Amino acid sequence: KICKMVEPAEKEIKTEKLEFPLRPKASPGWKPKEIILESNHPKLTIKNPKMPVKVYAIAFDPEIATDWRSGVRTLCSFAKKGIEEWLKAPFYTAGRNLFSVSTQEDDKQKNFEVDFKNQKYTINLKKVRETSLSDEVFADNQTSLATRQYLNIVIKKILSRDLKLVEWGHNSKYYDLKNKENITMYNLSIYQGFKTSCEVYANFTPRLLIDFSSRIIRTDTVLDAMKLLKTEEDIRDEFIGRSVVACYANQRMYKVFDVAFNLNPLSKFSNDENKEISYSEYYKKKYNITIKDLTQPLLLHVTRDERKLYLIPELMNMTGLTDEMRKNSKVMYRVAQDTRLEPGDRYQRICDTRDALNKYLEKEGLILEKSSKVKAFRLAPPDIMLGTKSLTPDRGNYQFRDPVKKPANFKDWVVVYHKNNYNDAEGLLNNMKKASGAYGIKVGDCNWIEISETKSAVWGEKITNYMRSNPNTQIVVVLIPPPAKPHVYPVIKQVCNKELGVPSQVIVTTSLQKNTLAVCSKILLQMNAKVGLPIWVTANPAAWGKRKAMMIGVDVFHNIGKLKKSCIGFCATLDDAFTRIFAKIKMQPKAGDEFMPSLANLVREAIMKYLEVNKALPELIIMYRDGVGDSQIPIVMEVETKLIRAMFAKIDPEYKPEFAEIIVKKRIDDRFFGSNAKGEVVNPSSGTVVARDVVSNYFDFFLVAQDVNMGSCTPTHYNVVCNETSLTEDLFYELTYRQCYNYYNWNGPVRVPAVVMYAHKLGFLVGQTYKDEHHPRLDDTYFFL
């Protein structure tokens, strides 16, 4: 008999064809400095590309739960001998798909009978697709989806079966659990491993990305951490969304979906034999583990099969570092020794992993090439224009003590301090006056607010009362002792940013104990920016010309506060030099689609502000969009860009600005390596662009903006998902690189264009403090720095 097909495989591997923009032409005569780099993307060569890769849909009679993936693997393993005899080849399963490089001609459909737990099952395999490993299949990542899935499955089998590695999480990162570094003084263990992923790159070339990876596991248990928290609500806030690792058996990693306070180790469940058994009895019987605390709540993990698993907190270790550890320089230095590899060490690890994989890939008819050279080019750093001079950065970063572009005149400002810090406050004012001359900034005498308590409410009330009598105050400078920062800082930001609409500068007293004049110089520059005045201007590309252009940076933050809200950090420029800004925060419930209308409305607000300032609408808008995962790109392309373009017509039916949207990805595993005069492996220099070989056939590129001299640098990936502009290829690269220099909190380039960094800083500040929208008076200032 033929059993009924349920959830055929093509539903799992089909996707709508997305129309990505193609790479535009470069400007005539554009000749950047070309260089050759090594990458971590060795080309995957296929010995017999014409071999057919067949995809079968798997169905069962009686039907099993459609999301029971482990059940699919188990039942198919029972039928392994019969299936391989039929296909005349090995097979691999993924979800409801079965893959095989099979030469069987009678391959359309076949049934197999198996017994499992006193139940007979009929497995029906039906061929739903046939592809190959030939060049034409690798047109792009979408066309080659089934083939890439097959290759990734083969590689995963080699990693787990042959190299005896364990996958933690679902992101193809594998670790050798026998090889770990214990840092006993800090109760940490560091595991080293690597990530792999088969992708299609330019010229329809399949490559295998390989990169070093590390994972920090704490030796304290989840139960230990729970006991430090006071309420159930605090425990849920701390653990939901976290990853934990089992300290028994194969040390699997789990994500916590909830904390079940209504369950404990004495609670019962049905085991594989359909018998009621308590969790305590189960662990004793299966692992010979005696659970000590029988009153602890259980952790809920939901599998990809949507099955619920309950975990014992005392048997789970924490992952990652605590906030206290991150603030401890000694801890971070020790951790960096095992997690931050220098370029030469990282490259050698990648080569060793490639060679280990090759031993087994050859048996599958696959070979990874030894070298992965890629073409790149290097952009020249931009000129930085100050008040009376300009400079060209050398190797990225620079220092200056010259007049800023637009110096502030601080004549109506106030310093708030605790009575025990009177000397610190007086020293602050004197040093700021000393530092101000070089920058052309005028620092007049300030007003003073002395506070005799450490209660946060008192600080807020004093500032509020002062502002009622002095509404024209330019900035509020607050000097706080370290013990008061956790509870006083959020109150100051709420009062100043949300309620009063006045920029504020919070300084912890201990920061003034060393290099006081240099610290005060940095503070003074921040204050200059916070009142809305530019410190410097980064020169635009020579071919840019005069354009009425707006640049937008967007970042999205999730799970903010106990209400689990999300917020959009939004920053747009209002002038030709991209230094005058319009900054907004939009709070809303955590979800997906409703971000799109909110973002379109924010873009509209920015355009209307641009019109108010410039008496004209922007003719060109470039939006850099951070906070987008790969799975969200289709909805960004199909919904977000359409909503934004439709909004243009609502402003004016004739308004059709040139528009580009670029997805910014910082958390990537792509790596590039250069070499110095001695032949040593080094990081690529600032301004390195990779736009050939290991990019797609559409319009995307990698940019190394920073000069990294500690550890291995991580480039930033830019994926242009909408391009309705007349800009040339090189203008996109030049503009993106130059805007990495426009971030006023750092003398040198940052990893992303300044508007993206400002959007990130704004969202981070809101998420850490008052979790709401700020006062509109602050829209055109850098108050969030």
Side-chain angles (χ1 to χ4, degrees):
K1 68 177 181 178
I2 297 176
C3 56
K4 182 181 178 182
M5 294 293 295
V6 180
E7 293 290 326
E10 57 259 50
K11 283 195 175 182
E12 290 199 25
I13 57 178
K14 266 193 175 180
T15 183
E16 292 297 321
K17 183 75 173 178
L18 297 174
E19 294 296 330
F20 288 89
L22 296 175
R23 196 177 304 276
K25 293 182 179 179
S27 300
W30 182 61
K31 293 182 179 179
K33 181 181 179 181
E34 296 185 354
I35 54 177
I36 300 296
L37 303 174
E38 285 286 346
S39 80
N40 63 336
H41 311 78
K43 183 179 178 181
L44 191 61
T45 302
I46 298 158
K47 288 183 179 179
N48 190 355
K50 297 300 181 183
M51 284 291 286
V53 177
K54 299 176 182 180
V55 186
Y56 293 84
I58 308 171
F60 299 92
D61 186 12
E63 182 55 49
I64 66 173
T66 57
D67 54 11
W68 187 24
R69 292 172 180 253
S70 59
V72 175
R73 291 193 297 270
T74 300
L75 293 174
C76 287
S77 68
F78 287 175
K80 179 180 179 181
K81 184 177 179 181
I83 295 173
E84 290 186 343
E85 286 178 353
W86 175 55
L87 294 174
K88 299 179 181 178
F91 67 88
Y92 305 93
T93 61
R96 285 294 182 106
N97 299 319
L98 184 146
F99 295 81
S100 180
V101 178
S102 170
T103 56
Q104 171 64 273
E105 294 182 3
D106 180 20
D107 61 356
K108 299 291 187 259
Q109 185 166 257
K110 193 172 180 64
N111 289 342
F112 300 88
E113 305 287 340
V114 297
D115 289 322
F116 179 64
K117 293 185 178 179
N118 300 320
Q119 171 71 55
K120 288 187 179 294
Y121 289 92
T122 299
I123 303 174
N124 175 255
L125 300 182
K126 181 179 180 180
K127 189 169 78 171
V128 293
R129 182 179 299 186
E130 182 171 325
T131 181
S132 70
L133 300 171
S134 57
D135 291 346
E136 56 268 22
V137 171
F138 295 103
D140 53 49
N141 275 332
Q142 294 176 76
T143 305
S144 65
L145 183 59
T147 306
R148 286 191 304 110
Q149 193 174 3
Y150 165 73
L151 292 172
N152 278 318
I153 293 168
V154 171
I155 292 164
K156 288 179 79 168
K157 291 291 184 184
I158 291 172
L159 293 171
S160 57
R161 179 190 63 202
D162 301 315
L163 298 181
K164 310 299 182 187
L165 303 175
V166 173
E167 182 181 16
W168 271 345
H170 302 302
N171 52 10
S172 297
K173 290 187 177 180
Y174 288 82
Y175 299 89
D176 180 358
L177 301 188
K178 296 177 182 177
N179 183 15
K180 66 178 179 179
E181 185 69 29
N182 292 317
I183 308 177
T184 52
M185 101 173 36
Y186 301 122
N187 297 320
L188 297 174
S189 293
I190 298 178
Y191 293 83
Q192 296 183 340
F194 53 89
K195 174 188 171 67
T196 66
S197 177
C198 180
E199 305 287 343
V200 175
Y201 295 88
N203 302 318
F204 317 110
T205 304
R207 295 174 180 266
L208 184 67
L209 182 150
I210 304 172
D211 191 32
F212 166 80
S213 179
S214 60
R215 192 82 196 217
I216 300 171
I217 307 298
R218 285 158 39 193
T219 54
D220 57 326
T221 68
V222 173
L223 184 60
D224 293 332
M226 277 185 175
K227 290 178 178 178
L228 300 176
L229 302 170
K230 295 179 180 179
T231 67
E232 292 184 1
E233 187 177 20
D234 289 341
I235 292 173
R236 279 199 166 97
D237 279 344
E238 177 67 21
F239 292 105
I240 292 177
R242 287 237 184 186
S243 293
V244 297
V245 174
C247 58
Y248 57 90
N250 59 358
Q251 295 180 264
R252 283 192 60 191
M253 184 170 288
Y254 301 90
K255 181 178 178 180
V256 178
F257 283 75
D258 198 0
V259 182
F261 290 97
N262 60 324
L263 300 177
N264 61 48
L266 297 178
S267 301
K268 294 187 176 182
F269 68 101
S270 296
N271 63 10
D272 292 341
E273 300 170 355
N274 290 322
K275 293 180 179 179
E276 291 287 308
I277 186 174
S278 72
Y279 291 94
S280 177
E281 294 170 320
Y282 171 80
Y283 278 94
K284 183 64 178 176
K285 183 177 180 181
K286 186 165 185 176
Y287 301 108
N288 195 27
I289 293 174
T290 301
I291 297 174
K292 298 174 183 177
D293 187 336
L294 299 178
T295 62
Q296 61 188 298
L298 304 187
L299 306 173
L300 171 64
H301 169 74
V302 181
T303 68
R304 283 195 287 185
D305 310 350
E306 295 187 9
R307 292 182 298 118
K308 292 182 177 181
L309 296 180
Y310 288 97
L311 311 170
I312 310 297
E314 76 176 55
L315 302 181
M316 296 288 144
N317 287 119
M318 302 288 290
T319 62
L321 301 174
T322 64
D323 291 338
E324 290 71 22
M325 289 176 177
R326 294 183 187 280
K327 294 174 185 175
N328 187 323
S329 59
K330 292 182 179 179
V331 174
M332 296 308 293
Y333 176 78
R334 178 62 188 86
V335 167
Q337 293 177 344
D338 295 297
T339 59
R340 187 174 63 196
L341 298 185
E342 293 302 314
D345 294 335
R346 192 181 205 104
Y347 181 67
Q348 188 59 53
R349 297 282 185 100
I350 291 168
C351 292
D352 291 345
T353 302
R354 177 202 63 207
D355 294 342
L357 283 168
N358 253 340
K359 294 178 183 178
Y360 299 98
L361 284 171
E362 289 180 7
K363 299 175 184 178
E364 303 284 347
L366 305 169
I367 299 175
L368 289 171
E369 292 191 354
K370 290 285 185 182
S371 177
S372 180
K373 296 188 183 299
V374 297
K375 296 176 183 176
F377 43 86
R378 188 170 299 144
L379 305 176
D383 291 335
I384 306 297
M385 294 173 286
L386 299 164
T388 58
K389 62 178 287 188
S390 64
L391 58 88
T392 303
D394 178 30
R395 293 188 61 80
N397 298 346
Y398 59 90
Q399 298 296 327
F400 73 92
R401 286 190 60 79
D402 302 283
V404 299
K405 192 66 179 177
K406 286 189 178 180
N409 180 7
F410 293 109
K411 58 184 179 180
D412 191 354
W413 60 299
V414 61
V415 174
V416 186
Y417 65 96
H418 190 268
K419 66 178 183 179
N420 293 338
N421 301 121
Y422 173 81
N423 291 334
D424 293 314
E426 194 173 51
L428 172 70
L429 176 61
N430 292 333
N431 279 289
M432 288 179 70
K433 286 184 175 182
K434 288 180 184 178
S436 63
Y439 300 118
I441 299 172
K442 294 180 180 179
V443 178
D445 289 335
C446 64
N447 293 318
W448 303 95
I449 300 177
E450 184 175 279
I451 295 177
S452 57
E453 298 184 50
T454 56
K455 292 180 180 177
S456 56
V458 174
W459 292 69
E461 288 169 8
K462 290 277 190 179
I463 293 172
T464 301
N465 292 336
Y466 175 85
M467 287 298 298
R468 284 175 184 156
S469 304
N470 301 271
N472 295 323
T473 299
Q474 294 166 281
I475 191 167
V476 176
V477 178
V478 185
L479 198 60
I480 58 176
K485 183 181 178 181
H487 57 276
V488 172
Y489 180 83
V491 170
I492 292 169
K493 291 302 177 183
Q494 170 154 334
V495 168
C496 293
N497 295 356
K498 180 185 174 184
E499 298 171 11
L500 301 175
V502 60
S504 60
Q505 180 78 38
V506 178
I507 306 164
V508 181
T509 54
T510 49
S511 66
L512 300 174
Q513 293 175 355
K514 293 182 180 179
N515 304 316
T516 308
L517 188 61
V519 171
C520 288
S521 296
K522 292 288 186 184
I523 292 170
L524 198 58
L525 293 175
Q526 265 198 349
M527 289 168 57
N528 198 93
K530 284 187 175 184
V531 296
L533 299 176
I535 302 174
W536 63 75
V537 169
T538 304
N540 286 327
W544 182 251
K546 291 186 177 181
R547 301 172 187 264
K548 295 176 181 177
M550 171 187 284
M551 199 172 297
I552 297 173
V554 181
D555 204 351
V556 181
F557 296 80
H558 300 292
N559 294 336
I560 294 174
K562 296 178 180 178
L563 297 178
K564 299 301 178 187
K565 286 185 176 182
S566 294
C567 76
I568 302 173
F570 179 92
C571 181
T573 61
L574 302 175
D575 64 335
D576 295 342
F578 306 118
T579 59
R580 187 172 178 179
I581 65 163
F582 175 78
K584 279 288 188 183
I585 275 286
K586 190 69 177 177
M587 305 293 301
Q588 55 197 50
K590 182 192 175 186
D593 295 5
E594 71 268 19
F595 280 115
M596 311 304 176
S598 296
L599 185 52
N601 290 335
L602 287 171
V603 176
R604 186 183 189 281
E605 283 188 60
I607 290 172
M608 301 314 293
K609 185 68 176 180
Y610 187 99
L611 175 62
E612 176 189 324
V613 171
N614 298 283
K615 311 305 178 189
L617 293 168
E619 298 170 356
L620 169 67
I621 299 173
I622 300 175
M623 185 165 78
Y624 292 94
R625 178 82 152 82
D626 203 347
V628 177
D630 289 341
S631 62
Q632 296 171 303
I633 289 178
I635 197 168
V636 168
M637 295 178 66
E638 295 167 4
V639 179
E640 183 170 293
T641 55
K642 290 179 181 178
L643 285 172
I644 292 172
R645 286 181 292 184
M647 175 271 298
F648 295 151
K650 292 179 181 178
I651 293 175
D652 187 316
E654 300 300 317
Y655 182 50
K656 296 179 181 178
E658 296 184 47
F659 177 67
E661 182 166 5
I662 305 172
I663 303 295
V664 180
K665 285 188 68 177
K666 303 187 294 293
R667 294 183 179 180
I668 59 176
D669 301 293
D670 306 85
R671 297 289 185 272
F672 302 103
F673 305 93
S675 59
N676 60 18
K678 299 178 182 178
E680 298 168 329
V681 176
V682 296
N683 285 319
S685 299
S686 172
T688 298
V689 175
V690 177
R692 305 290 185 267
D693 299 323
V694 291
V695 292
S696 72
N697 291 306
Y698 301 105
F699 188 17
D700 66 314
F701 60 96
F702 296 94
L703 170 64
V704 176
Q706 296 170 295
D707 248 321
V708 177
N709 52 25
M710 292 182 66
S712 307
C713 81
T714 302
T716 301
H717 184 239
Y718 297 88
N719 186 8
V720 184
V721 296
C722 177
N723 183 18
E724 298 172 343
T725 75
S726 57
L727 298 181
T728 54
E729 175 188 12
D730 49 296
L731 273 179
F732 275 98
Y733 307 149
E734 291 277 7
L735 188 68
T736 301
Y737 177 48
R738 287 165 181 259
Q739 284 308 303
C740 293
Y741 282 84
N742 240 5
Y743 180 61
Y744 290 146
N745 248 7
W746 184 253
N747 293 359
V750 291
R751 282 191 63 194
V752 294
V755 285
V756 181
M757 197 66 184
Y758 289 138
H760 172 82
K761 287 288 288 186
L762 175 57
F764 182 80
L765 171 68
V766 170
Q768 295 293 310
T769 55
Y770 51 93
K771 302 173 178 63
D772 206 346
E773 297 170 23
H774 57 261
H775 197 289
R777 271 204 298 266
L778 297 176
D779 285 351
D780 58 353
T781 70
Y782 294 95
F783 71 95
F784 44 83
L785 287 180

